[in-house]
Amino acid sequence: MPGNHFQISMRRLALVTSLIGATALLSGCNAMKRLSEVGEAPKLSAIDNPTQSETYRPVSLPMPAPQVAESNPNSLWRSGARSFFKDQRANQVGDILTVVVDMQDSAALANTTARSRTNSEDLAVPNLFGLESEFTKVLPETLNPSSMFDMNSATSNRGSGTLDRNEAIDLRVAAIVIQVLPNGNYVIHGRQEIRVNSEVREVQIAGVIRAADITSANEVEYDKIAEARISYGGRGTISDVQQPRYGSEIMDVILPF
């Protein structure tokens, strides 16, 4: 008997270990990172070169035909300059500019659909080459050839939907020019992390801008960014409480209802 209890305990231990291993595999590196920060404030990411990241891919977009720049050797003024002596705007890889995000989006949509259909089908066979009396030999005696087939159907469908959305974001983020495209456009990338107690707020901005859209204050508005990628989120104890558990997310994905 003691041997049986020992075997049962070992099986339970193996089961618990398997469950822990499966949970770790499902959660991935994010869960391991959160476990390593238990009891501590979330750690800020190190400042590094975004072009050295494993997920970084140089931007490749359709380019116009190259044009030869006109030079004015006898002129002190440079074309496109905002300053007589030096243009203070970002113009090469590594330069910094400010991205202004002032988003006031709203959308309202109301839709109503109504559909109704009624069908009626009647079929009578009072005379069929004198064979109508033969129907009662193979069908019930109560069969009436004058009302062989009678079908009625009615369908009614009504649907309505309403959408009302309001979003407001107001922030400023410094970004770095990480690539200059052949046509003179700049690829920018900016990231900002702010930690308050045990919660980290992270803002990321990336996209392609024109040099002409950079103001004299070395700023560019978010709606001037092509292929814009703007992310505003957080991680920490509050975000963990608001995030659904892994089991719930998996069930939401696999359940058909």
Side-chain angles (χ1 to χ4, degrees), residues 107-113 159-164:
L109 175 65
N111 192 352
T112 301
T113 302
S160 61
T162 302
L163 173 65
D164 188 3

Side-chain angles (χ1 to χ4, degrees), residues 19-248:
L19 291 175
I20 294 175
T23 303
L25 290 175
L26 289 174
S27 59
C29 298
N30 187 32
M32 299 302 295
K33 183 177 181 180
R34 293 195 307 176
L35 289 175
S36 65
E37 295 178 351
V38 172
E40 300 179 0
K43 298 178 182 178
L44 297 178
S45 302
I47 299 176
D48 53 8
N49 186 352
T51 61
Q52 301 299 324
S53 173
E54 296 180 356
T55 59
Y56 173 76
R57 297 292 183 274
V59 176
S60 178
L61 296 175
M63 295 292 108
Q67 298 179 359
V68 179
E70 297 181 0
S71 59
N72 299 315
N74 297 326
S75 176
L76 297 178
W77 182 260
R78 293 176 298 166
S79 300
R82 296 297 182 92
S83 174
F84 185 83
F85 298 101
K86 184 179 180 181
D87 192 349
Q88 301 296 325
R89 299 174 299 174
N91 58 10
Q92 61 183 354
V93 174
D95 286 352
I96 298 176
L97 73 160
T98 301
V99 179
V100 180
V101 181
D102 186 7
M103 185 181 300
Q104 303 289 334
D105 285 350
S106 62
L109 175 65
N111 192 352
T112 301
T113 302
R115 183 179 64 180
S116 179
R117 182 177 65 181
T118 302
N119 294 328
S120 179
E121 299 289 344
D122 295 321
L123 176 64
V125 189
N127 294 291
L128 184 61
F129 304 105
L131 300 177
E132 61 276 2
S133 61
E134 300 293 330
F135 291 155
T136 57
K137 296 181 180 180
V138 296
L139 296 175
E141 295 181 358
T142 56
L143 176 66
N144 185 2
S146 63
S147 59
M148 285 283 294
F149 184 77
D150 189 3
M151 183 178 69
N152 295 296
S153 66
T155 301
S156 179
N157 185 12
R158 179 179 295 274
S160 61
T162 302
L163 173 65
D164 188 3
R165 186 191 69 192
N166 290 280
E167 297 177 349
I169 300 177
D170 186 7
L171 53 89
R172 301 164 68 90
V173 180
I176 300 176
V177 177
I178 61 175
Q179 187 178 353
V180 178
L181 299 178
N183 66 340
N185 290 341
Y186 305 148
V187 180
I188 62 173
H189 180 275
R191 184 173 64 184
Q192 182 184 87
E193 293 185 0
I194 303 174
R195 184 176 69 190
V196 180
N197 295 331
S198 296
E199 188 73 12
V200 173
R201 286 298 173 187
E202 184 178 36
V203 182
Q204 292 194 40
I205 293 179
V208 181
I209 63 173
R210 298 188 309 166
D213 292 330
I214 303 176
T215 66
S216 58
N218 199 32
E219 297 178 348
V220 63
E221 298 179 357
Y222 81 98
D223 55 355
K224 301 295 193 301
I225 303 176
E227 295 295 322
R229 301 293 185 269
I230 303 175
S231 173
Y232 180 82
R235 50 187 170 89
T237 55
I238 303 301
S239 299
D240 288 344
V241 174
Q242 295 177 340
Q243 181 71 20
R245 299 294 89 186
Y246 295 110
S248 299

